[in-house]
Structure formats: structure tokens, C-alpha cells
Amino acid sequence: MKILIDNGHGKETPGKCSPDGRLKEYAYTREIADRLVTGLQNEGIDAQRIVPGENDVALFERVRRVNAFGKDAILVSIHCNAMGSGAEWMSASGWSVFVGVNASMNSKRLARQLAQVALNRKVKVRRPSPQKLYWTANFYICQKTNCPAVLVENFFQDNKEDVEFLLSEEGKQCVTNILLEGITNYCKKMEE
């Protein structure tokens, strides 16, 4: 199984940063994507980024790249959430995972695996109800791919405490470990 990692927006995408400009989503998600790909490869799992550069790549092109691998792949799209426009600090916080409205059972399994790892690590997981660990949304990249796909929102780039955590080595390692452990758990269950 091929693990495909999408690292969110490009450096020219407007906004997409903390109000103080310290956290830039394009740079942060690429750093996490690189850490994740390396971690997966160290576990013997075939993984790669679908957007290796810093510039944005249109969603239809990302989907084309993913679909070229067929159904024997999974996609994880890495983002940082925001409650406002990025001009001021907001109070929303926490980690969350999304699937498309047409999500396969395997997309939902992957989302549950990731959320369960986050909960086990004592991370605040935002969810639609206590029983449901993931959100359903009309995200193009999750809707149009042929393989299981999820989109993760790693805390809030417009929450001061979340930004401090995200920029710390502890925070970067936490985000990477949630993704790494969740994906490897999913892969093991699929092999059983």
C-alpha cells in the first residue's frame, strides 16, 4: 500500500498563517509531511509527498496525482485549522480529522484510527459528537480521490496556545506521532 501525503497550501496562498506571522501553514505542514514520510519509510512503509515543492498545486492536479496510484493507496492531507481570518487571536483549539461526504468505510476507519491515537495521547480532539471521532465535510481532495482519504486539522493557527505548541519540538513530534501511529495502525489492521 502506498501512503500519499498532501501538505496543504502553498507559500503564495493568501492568509494561512498565525496573526503574528510566526506560523506559516505551508511551511509547517511541509515540515510535518517530511517528518511523517521519513517516519513511515523507517517503518518499512512506502510513503511520499504528492506536492514536493513550496508552491500551491491545484486541487484537481493533486487528485490526479493521487488517483494515478489507484485504490492501493491512502491519502492524508495535512493542515492547520483557523477560526477567523488570521488577523486576530481566537479561542477555538484542538485537533480534528475529516472525511468526505461520500467517504468509504476505509476512509472512516483511517479517521477513527488517527483520532483514537490523538485521544490516547491526551490531545483535545474536536468532534461532532462524543460517539463520533471524525467530521464529514465536502473537501474536494477527500471527495474526488479513488482511495481512502482523510484531511487532518492540526490545532488552530489563530489560537495563541495552539501556535506555541505547534511551533515547539514537543508539538511537532506530537502531531507527527499521531499521524505516524494512526497510519501504521490502519495499515496493520488492513493486513489482518
Side-chain angles (χ1 to χ4, degrees):
M1 183 181 300
K2 185 83 163 180
I3 311 301
L4 304 171
I5 306 300
D6 172 46
N7 36 251
H9 307 283
K11 68 178 180 179
E12 73 283 1
T13 307
K16 307 300 181 190
C17 67
S18 60
D20 61 5
R22 291 177 39 222
L23 187 147
K24 305 224 182 301
E25 186 174 3
Y26 86 90
Y28 185 83
T29 58
R30 279 159 176 74
E31 180 178 350
I32 298 301
D34 285 341
R35 287 174 177 233
L36 177 58
V37 167
T38 298
L40 289 166
Q41 290 171 345
N42 289 342
E43 295 285 328
I45 297 172
D46 189 8
Q48 76 178 59
R49 283 175 47 190
I50 62 167
V51 180
E54 289 189 345
N55 292 327
D56 206 359
V57 171
L59 285 168
F60 71 84
E61 174 58 19
R62 292 180 201 203
V63 167
R64 188 199 65 74
R65 291 177 187 183
V66 171
N67 287 344
F69 288 96
K71 294 186 178 184
D72 292 329
I74 67 167
L75 171 71
V76 176
S77 187
I78 303 172
H79 296 261
C80 294
N81 215 337
M83 182 56 75
S85 66
E88 59 188 356
W89 295 109
M90 306 297 281
S91 61
S93 65
W95 182 95
S96 53
V97 60
F98 292 79
V99 298
V101 296
N102 62 342
S104 67
M105 287 306 297
N106 285 339
S107 294
K108 294 173 184 177
R109 282 187 189 106
L110 176 57
R112 282 193 298 270
Q113 285 290 336
L114 291 164
Q116 192 58 59
V117 170
L119 287 170
N120 292 347
R121 291 180 174 272
K122 309 295 186 225
V123 166
K124 176 185 176 185
V125 175
R126 296 171 61 88
R127 47 192 172 172
S129 71
Q131 297 78 28
K132 192 169 180 184
L133 296 177
Y134 58 84
W135 298 85
T136 302
N138 194 18
F139 291 132
Y140 187 90
I141 197 144
C142 292
Q143 298 282 102
K144 301 295 183 181
T145 49
N146 294 330
C147 65
V150 298
L151 185 147
V152 293
E153 293 281 12
N154 295 294
F155 302 93
F156 280 75
Q157 63 194 4
D158 55 5
N159 176 294
K160 198 173 264 191
E161 292 77 26
D162 278 6
V163 168
E164 291 301 324
F165 180 68
L166 287 168
L167 292 175
S168 71
E169 184 55 35
E170 176 192 2
K172 291 175 185 180
Q173 201 56 56
C174 177
V175 169
T176 303
N177 288 342
I178 290 169
L179 300 173
L180 180 60
E181 189 178 333
I183 292 167
T184 55
N185 289 350
Y186 172 84
C187 290
K188 286 175 188 168
K189 291 225 183 275
M190 295 308 288
E191 289 172 3
E192 292 174 355

